[in-house]
Amino acid sequence: QIPWDRYGLELAGEFSNSSQAVEFMKNNTVDLVITDMNMKDGDGLSLLDHIISSHAECEIIVISGYTDFAYTKKAIQASVCEYLLKPVETEEICKVLDKIILRIREKEKLQEALTLPLFVLWMAVPAAAIMGIALVQRIREMEKGEAEDAKRY
């Protein structure tokens, strides 16, 4: 049994086939997927295809009894964090989770750091543009006024 709460994770769902997992992921945000490559009514390859196309930010752990290159290649394409060969002990999964949780937290920190400057830049650009327009208008008014002053003399 994996102590999900120890990692600040909530188990969103358990599925026996890839189509159920894909259906769930269409309507729910998932940060981490732990999947076996061999499932009844499908395989891990179709799940990895879905994650690659629709949930690229999702972290993935693959557990497999296969050393087949096709599975390994698909796992690489999906940027899996770990490819564990069966049998897998809970302790091994927990060590991998420690590493992945740090990775997820770092991505969250990076996202927060990137969000603020983008927001600030978005706020600053319209203000600068408005000030620039106002400045150009003021210069034109001054030029126009000077021209009218010159006509008077």
Side-chain angles (χ1 to χ4, degrees), residues 9 16 28-29 37 44 57 59 66 73 82 85 90-91 98 102 119 137:
L9 296 173
S16 59
N28 298 280
T29 302
M37 292 306 278
E57 73 288 347
E59 301 292 338
Y66 297 111
K73 181 179 177 184
E82 290 288 334
L85 291 175
T90 301
E91 183 179 317
D98 284 330
L102 285 174
F119 179 74
Q137 286 175 339

Side-chain angles (χ1 to χ4, degrees), residues 121-137:
L121 285 174
W122 182 83
M123 294 300 290
V125 169
I130 290 167
M131 288 176 57
I133 290 168
L135 184 60
V136 168
Q137 286 175 339

Side-chain angles (χ1 to χ4, degrees), residues 145-153:
E146 288 174 4
E148 287 183 15
D149 286 342
K151 286 181 190 175
R152 285 186 221 161
Y153 297 106

Side-chain angles (χ1 to χ4, degrees), residues 23-82:
E23 227 15 75
F24 179 83
M25 291 179 75
K26 286 180 181 177
N27 301 310
N28 298 280
T29 302
V30 178
D31 298 304
L32 171 64
V33 171
I34 302 173
T35 185
D36 195 325
M37 292 306 278
N38 185 20
M39 296 178 243
K40 57 182 177 178
D41 300 330
D43 62 18
L45 293 176
S46 58
L47 180 58
L48 291 179
D49 283 336
H50 174 75
I51 293 170
I52 291 168
S53 66
S54 302
H55 302 278
E57 73 288 347
C58 183
E59 301 292 338
I60 308 165
I61 299 172
V62 171
I63 300 172
S64 180
Y66 297 111
T67 55
D68 185 306
F69 182 70
Y71 290 110
T72 307
K73 181 179 177 184
K74 182 59 77 175
I76 290 168
Q77 290 172 339
S79 300
V80 300
C81 298
E82 290 288 334

Side-chain angles (χ1 to χ4, degrees), residues 94-105:
C94 288
K95 285 180 183 178
V96 169
L97 284 175
D98 284 330
K99 183 171 73 173
I100 291 174
I101 294 304
L102 285 174
R103 186 172 166 168
I104 290 171
R105 299 294 179 241

